């Protein structure tokens, strides 16, 4: 099975930057597509960015130009570089993985525990 552990969350002021990391374990990792989702209190989980096993990427319109998703297959790690952060970016951010390309649809197979991002 695949296990995902997010890190890098924290509190920043508007306009600041954070880099989230997702450490993956499991021999199938390099063949998985991966994504970042976020969920704020009282709201449904929304897709932020996704990257395929072959490197294709897609982003939510709200983060285009500000967030960058990338992966280091040698280190089994997924990243989300976030810049120009806004208060509306505050949420718990989750890492997800799946054998198939789901873009920003919510039904991914594997999920991490989440990491809190607070922008004030």
């Amino acid at each position: 099975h695949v296990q995902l552990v997010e890190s890098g969350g924290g509190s920043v002021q508007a306009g600041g930057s954070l880099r989230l990391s997702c450490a993956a374990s499991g021999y199938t990792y390099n063949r998985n597509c991966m994504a970042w989702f976020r969920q704020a209190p009282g709201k449904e989980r929304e897709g932020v960015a996704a990257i395929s096993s072959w490197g294709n990427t897609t982003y939510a319109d709200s983060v285009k130009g500000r967030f960058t998703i990338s992966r280091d297959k040698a280190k089994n790690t997924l990243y989300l570089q976030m810049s120009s952060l806004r208060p509306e970016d505050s949420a718990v951010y989750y890492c997800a993985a799946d054998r198939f390309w789901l873009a920003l649809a919510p039904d991914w197979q594997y999920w991490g525990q989440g990491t809190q991002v607070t922008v004030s």
Side-chain angles (χ1 to χ4, degrees):
H1 65 280
V2 175
Q3 291 187 326
L4 307 171
V5 180
E6 302 95 333
S7 62
S11 298
V12 298
Q13 295 199 345
S17 299
L18 280 175
R19 178 187 290 176
L20 305 183
S21 298
C22 173
S25 61
Y27 66 87
T28 62
Y29 170 78
N30 287 339
R31 302 183 70 175
N32 283 332
C33 299
M34 301 190 74
W36 289 98
F37 286 74
R38 66 187 183 186
Q39 188 169 28
K43 298 183 179 179
E44 66 181 23
R45 191 170 298 183
E46 63 176 347
V48 176
I51 185 167
S52 71
S53 59
W54 56 92
N56 287 4
T57 60
T58 190
Y59 296 89
D61 288 342
S62 60
V63 306
K64 285 182 179 178
R66 299 189 299 120
F67 291 11
T68 301
I69 188 170
S70 62
R71 66 194 300 172
D72 186 334
K73 291 188 175 181
K75 297 180 179 179
N76 290 341
T77 302
L78 177 74
Y79 301 99
L80 184 67
Q81 178 64 52
M82 306 184 293
S83 61
S84 301
L85 284 163
R86 306 164 180 168
E88 54 263 42
D89 295 319
S90 297
V92 176
Y93 282 70
Y94 298 90
C95 176
D98 203 289
R99 291 181 60 188
F100 303 102
W101 176 244
L102 300 176
L104 300 182
D107 52 332
W108 290 63
Q109 181 73 37
Y110 305 103
W111 294 88
Q113 83 290 347
T115 185
Q116 177 71 49
V117 172
T118 302
V119 184
S120 61

